[in-house]
Amino acid sequence: MILFDSVSKQKKELSKKQLNIYLCGPTVYDHAHLGHARSSICFDLLRRVLLALGFKLSFARNYTDIDDKILKKMQENKQSLEELTAFYISSYEEDMRALNVLEPNFKPRATYFIKEMIVLIQKLISKGFTYTLEDGIYLDTSKDKAYLSLSHRGFENNISRLENESKKHNESDFVLWKFDENFYPAPFGTGRPGWHTECVAMIESLFKEGLDIHCGGIDLLFPHHENEACQCRLALDKNLASFWLHNGFVKIDGEKMSKSLNNSFFIKDALQAFQGEVLRLYLLSSHYRAHFSYSLQDLAVAKKRLDKLYRLKKRLSLEAFKDFGAQELKEGFKSEPALNLLLNLKDDLNISAALANFDEFINESNQKLDEDSKNKALKTKLSKALEETCLILGLGFLDTNAYFQFGVSKDEIDFIEEQITLRAEAKKEKDFQKADAIRANLLSKGISLQDTPNGVVWEKNNE
């Protein structure tokens, strides 16, 4: 497996078969947005590919559950820290399930690692890498000769978002611990951790043997990841990770998605109009390092692409695949389409080539079925290949009828089922004119009927 490393700015081959991976997760003060979806889906694909290639993984995705934004939201909502963060963690995990994102092995929360953060900060203090201002403990970045080696920025490009700007020794210095009498006692003063300290402490606690791959959005490269790497070098005399991987921005109307710009689309908004798998395929369709331009029109195109998968699944009379999970991805892949998919994805997740192969497999499968529709051995072979490719991509896990009936309300379903019953009665009474009229009326409402050996099934037309 070859991956592009942000530090060396070149592709490097993974040399180990046992890997520890850490993904920077959300700050849980609001519902997850499309940027969260893009990052989680891109690195879920990485995880699926590595598992399918026989790598053994320990995968962590953290939650930042203490932060200035969280404290502000607590005051607005009149909720406790635990109430607020538990609600948004639950919301986030609901979205991840809808997107077929594999459950992490570890889901560390910052507030569960306060002791470890205090120990880390004490090490930095004892080594003379910090100084104290009235609002907290700061790290002196001038002490780190390798500072900016991750982001490759010049000091003139540093823009700090921290308070107390005029009193900092260097513009790039950052807070490790904010003094606050409402929070955690520490030898250097009661307070709460700075954002950049949290991940280092969690990574060191979870992966004592070292971190192989650190993942996250490109917006985290500086200052967050740069400052993580700095702390690890100074406190622990080592690099935090062997590989650093970053996915590109999500852009809306040509602008980087940002809550400050009022263009931050929640995942839940997209899921009102499209199923999670449609959003997953759409966000996967560009290379993970590329910036992604979101539009509803392109999302609709992705739906048509996914329809072809479910048409083949329906043609093969496949039930919903068994519940996706890491175990299924450890069983080995033998079909030619799955092996071709992995061959492309082994090269820094070359998704364009992989999806082109996948589309070709679906088209060829339909051609073979057209030529020999009753060949049971062929259907078995195609079914196995489809399941394997779907497991790698994280698609195809829905029941086919449910997939094609998405977006229909309960009242509409009741009406459709009532009309199907009336049509069956009309056909039984040989009133074919009435039966045809019922079918035509449903079709005018965007509902098509299909008579099958197992009864009538219906679909919502999206044309």
Side-chain angles (χ1 to χ4, degrees):
M1 181 83 185
I2 297 172
L3 295 169
F4 184 89
D5 173 44
S6 295
V7 176
S8 62
K9 288 196 173 295
Q10 62 185 11
K11 291 182 182 180
K12 293 166 45 179
E13 187 167 1
L14 291 172
S15 58
K16 295 169 58 180
K17 294 299 278 187
Q18 176 83 44
L19 299 172
N20 295 327
I21 304 176
Y22 183 91
L23 171 62
C24 275
T27 300
V28 285
Y29 70 99
D30 209 338
H31 295 295
H33 54 64
L34 293 176
H36 295 129
R38 170 92 165 132
S39 185
S40 62
I41 289 170
C42 286
F43 297 118
D44 182 69
L45 178 65
L46 171 67
R47 188 179 176 197
R48 287 173 179 274
V49 171
L50 289 171
L51 287 169
L53 290 172
F55 287 83
K56 298 185 184 302
L57 308 180
S58 289
F59 188 94
R61 183 190 67 220
N62 79 297
Y63 293 112
T64 294
D65 61 347
I66 184 164
D67 175 89
D68 289 344
K69 295 173 184 174
I70 292 173
L71 301 185
K72 181 181 177 184
K73 195 68 171 277
M74 284 168 51
Q75 293 178 337
E76 292 172 355
N77 291 8
K78 295 182 171 53
Q79 289 178 292
S80 69
L81 182 73
E82 179 60 33
E83 286 172 335
L84 182 80
T85 56
F87 175 79
Y88 286 117
I89 287 173
S90 177
S91 171
Y92 178 85
E93 294 188 349
E94 179 182 65
D95 291 341
M96 293 303 101
R97 287 190 293 272
L99 298 173
N100 290 353
V101 172
L102 294 169
E103 184 76 358
N105 302 107
F106 306 104
K107 297 186 289 187
R109 295 175 57 164
T111 54
Y112 294 6
F113 291 82
I114 299 297
K115 289 182 181 178
E116 290 80 358
M117 294 178 210
I118 291 172
V119 169
L120 177 68
I121 295 169
Q122 283 181 299
K123 286 183 180 179
L124 291 166
I125 292 172
S126 67
K127 290 186 173 186
F129 296 137
T130 68
Y131 57 89
T132 303
L133 295 180
E134 60 185 19
D135 64 336
I137 309 293
Y138 282 77
L139 188 136
D140 184 347
T141 56
S142 68
K143 304 288 187 180
D144 179 16
K145 302 306 179 187
Y147 193 67
L148 301 179
S149 61
L150 172 57
S151 60
H152 301 282
R153 296 166 65 101
F155 275 98
E156 68 278 4
N157 295 323
N158 291 338
I159 300 174
S160 176
R161 308 173 197 171
L162 303 175
E163 306 131 12
N164 235 350
E165 296 292 326
S166 61
K167 297 182 180 179
K168 290 196 302 180
H169 294 184
N170 309 286
E171 188 180 5
S172 56
D173 294 350
F174 57 93
V175 69
L176 300 170
W177 187 260
K178 297 184 177 184
F179 296 140
D180 189 329
E181 291 300 320
N182 296 315
F183 286 95
Y184 309 102
F188 37 78
T190 300
R192 52 190 172 89
W195 180 35
H196 308 307
T197 303
E198 297 173 2
C199 289
V200 182
M202 289 187 277
I203 288 168
E204 284 302 302
S205 299
L206 294 172
F207 303 124
K208 297 187 184 304
E209 66 278 23
L211 180 64
D212 298 293
I213 303 175
H214 194 313
C215 308
I218 192 67
D219 56 314
L220 300 179
L221 178 59
F222 184 88
H224 186 48
H225 289 168
E226 188 70 71
N227 290 346
E228 283 183 30
C230 171
Q231 287 173 85
C232 188
R233 283 190 295 267
L234 294 179
L236 306 173
D237 298 313
K238 67 176 186 178
N239 291 323
L240 184 57
S242 300
F243 281 76
W244 290 82
L245 306 185
H246 293 91
N247 65 277
F249 289 121
V250 174
K251 295 183 177 182
I252 297 174
D253 296 328
E255 291 185 302
K256 185 185 80 168
M257 194 183 72
S258 167
K259 287 187 177 177
S260 63
L261 294 175
N262 247 354
N263 66 353
S264 178
F265 276 61
F266 293 126
I267 296 172
K268 294 186 190 304
D269 293 335
L271 294 180
Q272 290 294 313
F274 293 93
Q275 283 145 313
E277 287 196 4
V278 177
L279 185 58
R280 181 185 177 94
L281 175 59
Y282 177 48
L283 293 174
L284 275 181
S285 61
S286 293
H287 191 267
Y288 77 95
R289 287 191 281 115
H291 297 321
F292 191 92
S293 295
Y294 177 86
S295 78
L296 286 174
Q297 292 86 351
D298 291 341
L299 190 53
V301 172
K303 166 71 166 62
K304 292 181 180 179
R305 193 176 198 176
L306 190 62
D307 284 353
K308 294 178 181 178
L309 184 163
Y310 275 95
R311 289 283 174 215
L312 177 58
K313 189 176 178 184
K314 193 168 189 176
R315 193 171 184 185
L316 293 168
S317 302
L318 295 175
E319 302 294 330
F321 294 142
K322 59 182 174 179
D323 196 21
F324 66 91
Q327 187 57 46
E328 285 81 5
L329 285 156
K330 293 177 182 176
E331 293 176 353
F333 294 79
K334 299 177 181 178
S335 70
E336 184 178 346
L339 294 176
N340 286 338
L341 203 68
L342 289 173
L343 185 63
N344 290 307
L345 293 169
K346 282 170 66 174
D347 181 9
D348 196 34
L349 300 180
N350 186 346
I351 192 65
S352 295
L355 288 178
N357 270 351
F358 185 61
D359 291 340
E360 185 178 353
F361 159 63
I362 290 177
N363 291 335
E364 288 180 351
S365 297
N366 281 313
Q367 291 172 7
K368 289 174 181 178
L369 290 170
D370 289 342
E371 295 166 2
D372 196 357
S373 62
K374 296 183 179 180
N375 187 329
K376 291 185 178 179
L378 173 64
K379 286 187 174 182
T380 299
K381 181 180 178 180
L382 294 178
S383 297
K384 181 61 177 174
L386 183 62
E387 183 172 10
E388 286 187 352
T389 52
C390 283
L391 279 169
I392 295 167
L393 293 172
L395 302 170
F397 299 113
L398 300 171
D399 173 79
T400 53
N401 289 334
Y403 175 81
F404 287 112
Q405 293 173 2
F406 177 78
V408 181
S409 70
K410 185 180 183 306
D411 288 344
E412 290 171 321
I413 291 172
D414 291 342
F415 172 76
I416 293 164
E417 291 178 349
E418 179 186 34
Q419 293 301 300
I420 290 173
T421 300
L422 291 173
R423 177 173 176 265
E425 292 172 355
K427 290 178 72 174
K428 187 176 181 181
E429 295 169 0
K430 300 190 184 305
D431 189 347
F432 299 113
Q433 185 175 359
K434 181 179 179 181
D436 289 344
I438 291 172
R439 176 195 282 271
N441 181 50
L442 287 173
L443 191 59
S444 71
K445 299 179 184 297
I447 303 298
S448 61
L449 303 183
Q450 299 165 14
D451 294 305
T452 76
N454 298 319
V456 178
V457 295
W458 60 270
E459 294 181 4
K460 178 186 177 184
N461 300 326
N462 292 289
E463 298 301 327

